Amino acid sequence: MKSFRLSKSKYLSGLQCHKRLWLEIHKPELAPPPPPGQQRIFDQGTTVGELATEDFPDGVLIEADYLNIPEATKQTEEALANSADVIFEGCFTHDNVLVRPDIILRNDLGSWNMIEVKSSTSVKKENIHDVAVQTWVLRGYGLEVERVFLKHINRECVYPDLSNLFKTEDITEPVEAVLSTIPNKLSEYKSMLVKHEPNNSIGGHCSNPYDCQFIDYCWKDVPEYSIFNVPCLRWPIKERLIQGNHFTIDQLPTEIPLGNKQKEYVESLEQRKSIVNRDGISDKLDELEYPLYFLDFETDNPAVPRFDGMHPYELFPFQYSCHIISRDGKVIHKEYLHESKSDPRKLLAEALVKAIGKKGTVIAYYVPFERGVLNSLVEWFPEHSVALGSIADRLWDQLDIFKKYYIDYRFKGSNSLKNVLPVIVPSMNYENLAVSDGSEAQVTWNEMIRSPETDEKSKLINELKEYCGQDTMAMVEIHYHLNRLIGFPFPSEDKPEVIV
Ligand code: SF4
C-alpha cells in the first residue's frame, strides 16, 4: 500500500476532516492562497516562537528549512550526538509522521521534556492533540519524553516588562490520555489516503477548530441564498438539513421552530423584498441631534504589546475617520492616521477631541466596539476624560436599525456594514479597495509604519485612508437612504459635496 508522509499539521487536518487531509495530499492546488490576515497570524506565531526561546540562551536551533527534511534530520542527529541540552525545531520522524517540536530539553537523567509554544492565551483542546502527536513521534524515535508543556501568552504581562510574557502549563496528563488513539487514527488515514476522494459532508467542522482552506471547493454547491443565511439557525438543525442535501430555504421543514427574526428573513427571501418598519426607523432617527458625527476606528491588537501599560492582545486605535453632517446638510470629513512606529494613542486622542464638538450625536456601526476604544482612551489619558467620555455618551448605533427594523434577504443573514452597504448603496462596495476589511487594515498599517519614506509608503497611507473613509461615508449614505425611506426630504438626491 502506498504510504504518505504526514506532518503534525496534516495529522491535525485529518482529525478535523478526512477530506481535508485527502485534499491537502492529493489536490493542494484547490486551496486559495492564505488571506493577508492569515499571513499576519503566521508571522505573529513566528515572532512569539522566537521570543519563547530567549529563556534558553544555550539552545541549538536546527536551521535547515522546513522542506529540507534530510538536512534537518542530519542537523538534529548531530545536536543529539553532541549532547545538546536544548534543541529548537529538531526534526524527528516515526512511522512516516514528521514533527518539529518547538523546544525539547534534556533532563538530568537523560529523559526529555517538550515545550510547545502557542500565541494563544490558554490551552485549547486542539493543543492537546498537537502535543500528543509530537510526543508519540519523539517516543517512537527513541527519546524518553517525561513531561510536556504548553507555553502560551500571558494576558497579565504589561509592557515594557515582558519578563512574564509567557505562561507555561504542564499538560502531560491530558496528552497521555489521548496518546493511545494515535495509532488507530494513523491507520485510518493511511487506508483513506489510498482511496478516492472521501465524501465528507460540509458542516460546522469546516471552521472548527480551524478555518479549512477548501471551503470554496466543498461549499460550491450551496446556493447564494440558503439555510446558512437564516440568522442564528442552530448547527444541529443545519447538520440535519445538510445530511438530507436540503440547502434552500424552501426545504426548511415546517416543524422547525423559527424565531421572529428568522421568520422575517425567510419571508423576505420568499417574497424577494425587504421588510421595513418605517415607524421604528423614524422613531430611532428622531433621537439624533445635529451635528451628526459618523465615526469609525481602525485598531491593532498584537500578541506582543508594544506600548506602555498595554497587555498582550489589547486593542489600540491607530486611525479614525469622521464624516460630519451639519444641520444645513453640509458634509465635512476629518481623519487621523498614525504614520510612524511610535505610540499612536495620544496623538489620535487629541485629534479626536478636536474633531468632535461638545454637541451632536456620534453615529457608529456596532457601538460596543467604538465605546470600548473610547473607554480605553479615557483610561490611558484621564486629562481628556471629559471630552472622550462625552463622545462615548453620545454614541448611537446605526446597526440597531438593521437588527430591529430593516430585514432584507440580500444581506444574507448578516447585518455587517460589508453586507448591508452594497444592497442599500449599490454604487459602493469594498471589492475594489486595496484594503477591504479590518484585518487587512491591520496588516497594511504595520507594513506602512515600517516602510521608509517612499512612494510605496504614500500608497499604503492612501489605501488606509480610502478604506476607513469609506466606512464612515458608507454610514452617511445609509443615513441618507433611511431618511428617504421614511419620506424625510433630506438630503436631496443631489448630495452635498464633501469638504475635506
Ligand atoms: S471544507 Fe469542510 S468538508 Fe471540505 S475539506 Fe474542509 S472541513 Fe472537510
Side-chain angles (χ1 to χ4, degrees):
M1 190 192 288
K2 187 169 181 210
S3 168
F4 297 91
R5 175 179 278 154
L6 298 181
S7 61
K8 174 188 85 168
S9 66
K10 289 210 168 35
Y11 175 83
L12 295 174
S13 292
L15 276 190
Q16 181 172 356
C17 171
H18 278 190
K19 187 173 182 174
R20 179 176 184 182
L21 172 58
W22 193 95
L23 290 169
E24 282 180 1
I25 300 268
H26 295 288
K27 293 187 179 175
E29 69 282 1
L30 291 177
Q38 189 64 39
Q39 190 54 47
R40 175 174 150 82
I41 294 171
F42 293 151
D43 294 347
Q44 193 151 264
T46 307
T47 309
V48 167
E50 285 166 4
L51 284 171
T53 59
E54 286 181 359
D55 290 342
F56 309 100
D58 297 329
V60 176
L61 172 66
I62 304 305
E63 287 178 345
D65 186 82
Y66 258 74
L67 297 176
N68 191 350
I69 295 160
E71 180 58 23
T73 307
K74 188 172 138 253
Q75 288 182 10
T76 306
E77 283 165 358
E78 281 168 7
L80 290 170
N82 292 335
S83 303
D85 285 333
V86 182
I87 300 176
F88 307 135
E89 295 178 33
C91 182
F92 301 92
T93 309
H94 171 60
D95 199 11
N96 233 358
V97 183
L98 180 139
V99 298
R100 299 202 60 174
D102 290 328
I103 304 169
I104 59 169
L105 308 155
R106 195 191 295 268
N107 295 323
D108 288 346
L109 295 174
S111 65
W112 294 81
N113 289 346
M114 183 178 77
I115 302 176
E116 172 70 11
V117 181
K118 292 284 178 220
S119 39
S120 55
T121 54
S122 62
V123 178
K124 296 181 180 146
K125 191 174 151 210
E126 55 271 24
N127 302 146
I128 302 299
H129 291 284
D130 174 325
V131 175
V133 71
Q134 297 189 68
T135 307
W136 185 83
V137 170
L138 290 187
R139 285 182 180 166
Y141 178 89
L143 296 191
E144 188 193 329
V145 179
E146 202 174 314
R147 304 213 70 78
V148 290
F149 300 87
L150 196 89
K151 188 167 183 172
H152 60 78
I153 295 285
N154 172 22
R155 273 197 191 271
E156 305 301 309
C157 165
V158 184
Y159 188 90
D161 178 8
L162 298 183
S163 60
N164 63 343
L165 177 64
F166 293 101
K167 210 175 193 175
T168 304
E169 293 194 47
D170 187 333
I171 55 168
T172 311
E173 252 179 57
V175 164
E176 294 285 0
V178 301
L179 275 177
S180 61
T181 64
I182 293 175
N184 273 348
K185 288 278 166 219
L186 288 171
S187 66
E188 275 175 27
Y189 295 174
K190 279 176 190 162
S191 60
M192 177 269 294
L193 284 170
V194 291
K195 293 183 192 151
H196 291 298
E197 183 176 327
N199 198 15
N200 297 71
S201 315
I202 59 170
H205 62 275
C206 296
S207 46
N208 183 19
Y210 310 104
D211 284 335
C212 177
Q213 67 274 48
F214 298 108
I215 285 187
D216 289 350
Y217 170 67
C218 295
W219 288 61
K220 60 183 178 305
D221 294 330
V222 175
E224 187 180 10
Y225 300 110
S226 72
I227 54 158
F228 298 106
N229 306 133
V230 179
C232 306
L233 192 64
R234 289 187 304 116
W235 265 108
I237 296 176
K238 286 193 260 200
E239 302 275 6
R240 231 173 76 202
L241 293 166
I242 291 167
Q243 292 315 318
N245 236 358
H246 295 155
F247 292 129
T248 53
I249 298 276
D250 57 356
Q251 292 172 312
L252 260 180
T254 43
E255 74 271 13
I256 288 182
L258 295 179
N260 285 346
K261 289 288 147 216
Q262 294 171 326
K263 278 187 199 150
E264 282 174 346
Y265 181 79
V266 172
E267 197 184 319
S268 166
L269 180 61
E270 282 172 350
Q271 298 177 10
R272 290 287 194 270
K273 63 171 196 160
S274 47
I275 298 174
V276 178
N277 175 345
R278 286 184 169 73
D279 290 343
I281 293 175
S282 179
D283 289 349
K284 183 79 184 152
L285 290 176
D286 271 351
E287 295 168 5
L288 299 178
E289 281 178 26
Y290 282 90
L292 306 179
Y293 298 92
F294 296 80
L295 176 66
D296 182 56
F297 290 116
E298 295 306 322
T299 58
D300 194 14
N301 60 337
V304 182
R306 309 206 284 262
F307 305 123
D308 280 348
M310 296 204 68
H311 297 277
Y313 291 113
E314 190 174 357
L315 203 107
F316 64 86
F318 58 79
Q319 179 179 16
Y320 78 76
S321 167
C322 184
H323 277 92
I324 307 164
I325 306 183
S326 55
R327 189 172 286 281
D328 61 6
K330 201 164 85 187
V331 181
I332 60 170
H333 183 228
K334 297 196 174 173
E335 64 187 335
Y336 178 82
L337 171 64
H338 199 73
E339 297 178 11
S340 76
K341 281 194 259 182
S342 62
D343 189 341
R345 294 173 294 169
K346 192 164 194 290
L347 290 173
L348 181 140
E350 287 169 357
L352 186 68
V353 297
K354 260 192 214 152
I356 297 191
K358 293 189 174 118
K359 285 199 177 122
T361 305
V362 183
I363 301 174
Y365 205 92
Y366 187 61
V367 154
F369 180 76
E370 266 66 29
R371 193 187 302 287
V373 173
L374 287 163
N375 287 346
S376 297
L377 289 172
V378 166
E379 231 173 82
W380 293 320
F381 307 109
E383 66 273 27
H384 294 303
S385 63
V386 174
L388 291 166
S390 155
I391 296 171
D393 289 345
R394 289 179 282 144
L395 282 167
W396 182 95
D397 208 335
Q398 196 176 56
L399 171 64
D400 278 351
I401 289 193
F402 297 97
K403 276 188 183 162
K404 296 177 187 162
Y405 309 123
Y406 197 139
I407 312 290
D408 191 306
Y409 68 98
R410 293 168 297 172
F411 302 158
K412 296 183 184 163
S414 160
N415 295 321
S416 76
L417 201 49
K418 311 282 180 291
N419 281 39
V420 167
L421 181 67
V423 175
I424 289 201
V425 189
S427 59
M428 283 181 94
N429 62 52
Y430 290 82
E431 275 163 23
N432 296 327
L433 296 185
V435 175
S436 63
D437 64 29
S439 52
E440 280 185 27
Q442 285 182 351
V443 174
T444 307
W445 182 67
N446 279 287
E447 194 186 333
M448 181 271 286
I449 57 174
R450 288 173 176 82
S451 296
E453 299 293 332
T454 58
D455 289 351
E456 177 58 19
K457 180 163 179 142
S458 308
K459 179 175 148 276
L460 298 174
I461 289 171
N462 288 338
E463 288 171 1
L464 284 162
K465 286 185 174 175
E466 190 181 12
Y467 168 67
C468 195
Q470 162 131 328
D471 268 352
T472 49
M473 196 58 210
M475 288 191 273
V476 170
E477 293 287 353
I478 290 172
H479 179 71
Y480 291 160
H481 173 84
L482 295 172
N483 274 280
R484 284 187 213 111
L485 204 64
I486 59 167
F488 193 65
F490 163 82
S492 69
E493 289 293 338
D494 307 323
K495 279 182 224 110
E497 186 192 350
V498 177
I499 301 162
V500 182

PDB file of all heavy atoms in Angstrom, residues 134-148:
ATOM      1  N   GLN A 134       3.202  14.907  18.651  1.00  0.00           N
ATOM      2  CA  GLN A 134       4.656  15.151  18.726  1.00  0.00           C
ATOM      3  C   GLN A 134       5.296  14.228  19.766  1.00  0.00           C
ATOM      4  O   GLN A 134       6.370  13.668  19.537  1.00  0.00           O
ATOM      5  CB  GLN A 134       4.918  16.607  19.096  1.00  0.00           C
ATOM      6  CG  GLN A 134       4.402  17.580  18.056  1.00  0.00           C
ATOM      7  CD  GLN A 134       4.861  18.991  18.333  1.00  0.00           C
ATOM      8  OE1 GLN A 134       6.037  19.285  18.225  1.00  0.00           O
ATOM      9  NE2 GLN A 134       3.945  19.862  18.693  1.00  0.00           N
ATOM     10  N   THR A 135       4.619  14.073  20.896  1.00  0.00           N
ATOM     11  CA  THR A 135       5.142  13.187  21.950  1.00  0.00           C
ATOM     12  C   THR A 135       5.250  11.760  21.411  1.00  0.00           C
ATOM     13  O   THR A 135       6.242  11.054  21.635  1.00  0.00           O
ATOM     14  CB  THR A 135       4.177  13.217  23.165  1.00  0.00           C
ATOM     15  OG1 THR A 135       3.976  14.577  23.533  1.00  0.00           O
ATOM     16  CG2 THR A 135       4.724  12.437  24.343  1.00  0.00           C
ATOM     17  N   TRP A 136       4.208  11.343  20.683  1.00  0.00           N
ATOM     18  CA  TRP A 136       4.162   9.982  20.138  1.00  0.00           C
ATOM     19  C   TRP A 136       5.341   9.755  19.190  1.00  0.00           C
ATOM     20  O   TRP A 136       6.011   8.725  19.235  1.00  0.00           O
ATOM     21  CB  TRP A 136       2.824   9.796  19.419  1.00  0.00           C
ATOM     22  CG  TRP A 136       2.585   8.413  18.912  1.00  0.00           C
ATOM     23  CD1 TRP A 136       2.110   7.346  19.619  1.00  0.00           C
ATOM     24  CD2 TRP A 136       2.810   7.955  17.577  1.00  0.00           C
ATOM     25  NE1 TRP A 136       2.017   6.239  18.809  1.00  0.00           N
ATOM     26  CE2 TRP A 136       2.446   6.589  17.547  1.00  0.00           C
ATOM     27  CE3 TRP A 136       3.271   8.558  16.415  1.00  0.00           C
ATOM     28  CZ2 TRP A 136       2.532   5.810  16.389  1.00  0.00           C
ATOM     29  CZ3 TRP A 136       3.362   7.791  15.266  1.00  0.00           C
ATOM     30  CH2 TRP A 136       2.995   6.434  15.256  1.00  0.00           C
ATOM     31  N   VAL A 137       5.618  10.740  18.348  1.00  0.00           N
ATOM     32  CA  VAL A 137       6.735  10.606  17.402  1.00  0.00           C
ATOM     33  C   VAL A 137       8.073  10.580  18.153  1.00  0.00           C
ATOM     34  O   VAL A 137       8.939   9.736  17.890  1.00  0.00           O
ATOM     35  CB  VAL A 137       6.704  11.746  16.352  1.00  0.00           C
ATOM     36  CG1 VAL A 137       7.987  11.767  15.527  1.00  0.00           C
ATOM     37  CG2 VAL A 137       5.508  11.583  15.434  1.00  0.00           C
ATOM     38  N   LEU A 138       8.231  11.501  19.107  1.00  0.00           N
ATOM     39  CA  LEU A 138       9.516  11.556  19.838  1.00  0.00           C
ATOM     40  C   LEU A 138       9.781  10.238  20.562  1.00  0.00           C
ATOM     41  O   LEU A 138      10.903   9.717  20.546  1.00  0.00           O
ATOM     42  CB  LEU A 138       9.518  12.700  20.853  1.00  0.00           C
ATOM     43  CG  LEU A 138       9.561  14.127  20.300  1.00  0.00           C
ATOM     44  CD1 LEU A 138       9.744  15.132  21.429  1.00  0.00           C
ATOM     45  CD2 LEU A 138      10.684  14.310  19.307  1.00  0.00           C
ATOM     46  N   ARG A 139       8.752   9.687  21.183  1.00  0.00           N
ATOM     47  CA  ARG A 139       8.938   8.406  21.887  1.00  0.00           C
ATOM     48  C   ARG A 139       9.244   7.293  20.884  1.00  0.00           C
ATOM     49  O   ARG A 139      10.102   6.453  21.126  1.00  0.00           O
ATOM     50  CB  ARG A 139       7.701   8.067  22.721  1.00  0.00           C
ATOM     51  CG  ARG A 139       7.628   8.930  23.981  1.00  0.00           C
ATOM     52  CD  ARG A 139       6.438   8.564  24.843  1.00  0.00           C
ATOM     53  NE  ARG A 139       6.409   9.404  26.047  1.00  0.00           N
ATOM     54  CZ  ARG A 139       5.374   9.516  26.851  1.00  0.00           C
ATOM     55  NH1 ARG A 139       4.251   8.844  26.605  1.00  0.00           N
ATOM     56  NH2 ARG A 139       5.437  10.285  27.919  1.00  0.00           N
ATOM     57  N   GLY A 140       8.520   7.303  19.768  1.00  0.00           N
ATOM     58  CA  GLY A 140       8.772   6.285  18.737  1.00  0.00           C
ATOM     59  C   GLY A 140      10.183   6.413  18.180  1.00  0.00           C
ATOM     60  O   GLY A 140      10.834   5.424  17.840  1.00  0.00           O
ATOM     61  N   TYR A 141      10.677   7.621  18.119  1.00  0.00           N
ATOM     62  CA  TYR A 141      12.033   7.881  17.602  1.00  0.00           C
ATOM     63  C   TYR A 141      13.083   7.356  18.582  1.00  0.00           C
ATOM     64  O   TYR A 141      14.200   7.037  18.201  1.00  0.00           O
ATOM     65  CB  TYR A 141      12.173   9.394  17.408  1.00  0.00           C
ATOM     66  CG  TYR A 141      13.515   9.872  16.938  1.00  0.00           C
ATOM     67  CD1 TYR A 141      13.805   9.973  15.575  1.00  0.00           C
ATOM     68  CD2 TYR A 141      14.513  10.235  17.850  1.00  0.00           C
ATOM     69  CE1 TYR A 141      15.042  10.433  15.143  1.00  0.00           C
ATOM     70  CE2 TYR A 141      15.743  10.684  17.427  1.00  0.00           C
ATOM     71  CZ  TYR A 141      16.007  10.794  16.072  1.00  0.00           C
ATOM     72  OH  TYR A 141      17.238  11.247  15.649  1.00  0.00           O
ATOM     73  N   GLY A 142      12.700   7.306  19.840  1.00  0.00           N
ATOM     74  CA  GLY A 142      13.647   6.768  20.819  1.00  0.00           C
ATOM     75  C   GLY A 142      13.982   7.709  21.958  1.00  0.00           C
ATOM     76  O   GLY A 142      14.818   7.400  22.801  1.00  0.00           O
ATOM     77  N   LEU A 143      13.322   8.875  21.994  1.00  0.00           N
ATOM     78  CA  LEU A 143      13.583   9.777  23.127  1.00  0.00           C
ATOM     79  C   LEU A 143      12.591   9.461  24.244  1.00  0.00           C
ATOM     80  O   LEU A 143      11.404   9.249  23.985  1.00  0.00           O
ATOM     81  CB  LEU A 143      13.406  11.242  22.725  1.00  0.00           C
ATOM     82  CG  LEU A 143      14.335  11.831  21.670  1.00  0.00           C
ATOM     83  CD1 LEU A 143      14.174  13.343  21.620  1.00  0.00           C
ATOM     84  CD2 LEU A 143      15.787  11.484  21.920  1.00  0.00           C
ATOM     85  N   GLU A 144      13.102   9.453  25.447  1.00  0.00           N
ATOM     86  CA  GLU A 144      12.207   9.210  26.580  1.00  0.00           C
ATOM     87  C   GLU A 144      11.599  10.555  26.995  1.00  0.00           C
ATOM     88  O   GLU A 144      12.273  11.386  27.628  1.00  0.00           O
ATOM     89  CB  GLU A 144      12.997   8.611  27.744  1.00  0.00           C
ATOM     90  CG  GLU A 144      12.113   8.153  28.886  1.00  0.00           C
ATOM     91  CD  GLU A 144      12.932   7.854  30.144  1.00  0.00           C
ATOM     92  OE1 GLU A 144      14.091   7.440  30.005  1.00  0.00           O
ATOM     93  OE2 GLU A 144      12.404   8.063  31.251  1.00  0.00           O
ATOM     94  N   VAL A 145      10.360  10.794  26.570  1.00  0.00           N
ATOM     95  CA  VAL A 145       9.722  12.079  26.885  1.00  0.00           C
ATOM     96  C   VAL A 145       8.992  11.937  28.214  1.00  0.00           C
ATOM     97  O   VAL A 145       8.108  11.088  28.356  1.00  0.00           O
ATOM     98  CB  VAL A 145       8.726  12.500  25.778  1.00  0.00           C
ATOM     99  CG1 VAL A 145       8.047  13.813  26.135  1.00  0.00           C
ATOM    100  CG2 VAL A 145       9.442  12.619  24.451  1.00  0.00           C
ATOM    101  N   GLU A 146       9.375  12.787  29.167  1.00  0.00           N
ATOM    102  CA  GLU A 146       8.797  12.650  30.501  1.00  0.00           C
ATOM    103  C   GLU A 146       7.597  13.574  30.691  1.00  0.00           C
ATOM    104  O   GLU A 146       6.499  13.129  30.938  1.00  0.00           O
ATOM    105  CB  GLU A 146       9.887  12.981  31.525  1.00  0.00           C
ATOM    106  CG  GLU A 146       9.611  12.400  32.894  1.00  0.00           C
ATOM    107  CD  GLU A 146      10.789  12.633  33.821  1.00  0.00           C
ATOM    108  OE1 GLU A 146      11.949  12.401  33.403  1.00  0.00           O
ATOM    109  OE2 GLU A 146      10.534  13.078  34.948  1.00  0.00           O
ATOM    110  N   ARG A 147       7.844  14.856  30.525  1.00  0.00           N
ATOM    111  CA  ARG A 147       6.735  15.794  30.735  1.00  0.00           C
ATOM    112  C   ARG A 147       6.615  16.727  29.524  1.00  0.00           C
ATOM    113  O   ARG A 147       7.612  17.041  28.855  1.00  0.00           O
ATOM    114  CB  ARG A 147       6.932  16.622  32.013  1.00  0.00           C
ATOM    115  CG  ARG A 147       7.123  15.761  33.249  1.00  0.00           C
ATOM    116  CD  ARG A 147       6.545  16.386  34.503  1.00  0.00           C
ATOM    117  NE  ARG A 147       5.095  16.429  34.546  1.00  0.00           N
ATOM    118  CZ  ARG A 147       4.302  15.404  34.841  1.00  0.00           C
ATOM    119  NH1 ARG A 147       4.804  14.221  35.097  1.00  0.00           N
ATOM    120  NH2 ARG A 147       2.991  15.556  34.883  1.00  0.00           N
ATOM    121  N   VAL A 148       5.368  17.143  29.262  1.00  0.00           N
ATOM    122  CA  VAL A 148       5.156  18.044  28.114  1.00  0.00           C
ATOM    123  C   VAL A 148       4.396  19.288  28.579  1.00  0.00           C
ATOM    124  O   VAL A 148       3.538  19.217  29.476  1.00  0.00           O
ATOM    125  CB  VAL A 148       4.394  17.345  26.963  1.00  0.00           C
ATOM    126  CG1 VAL A 148       5.272  16.310  26.307  1.00  0.00           C
ATOM    127  CG2 VAL A 148       3.099  16.730  27.429  1.00  0.00           C
TER     128      VAL A 148
END
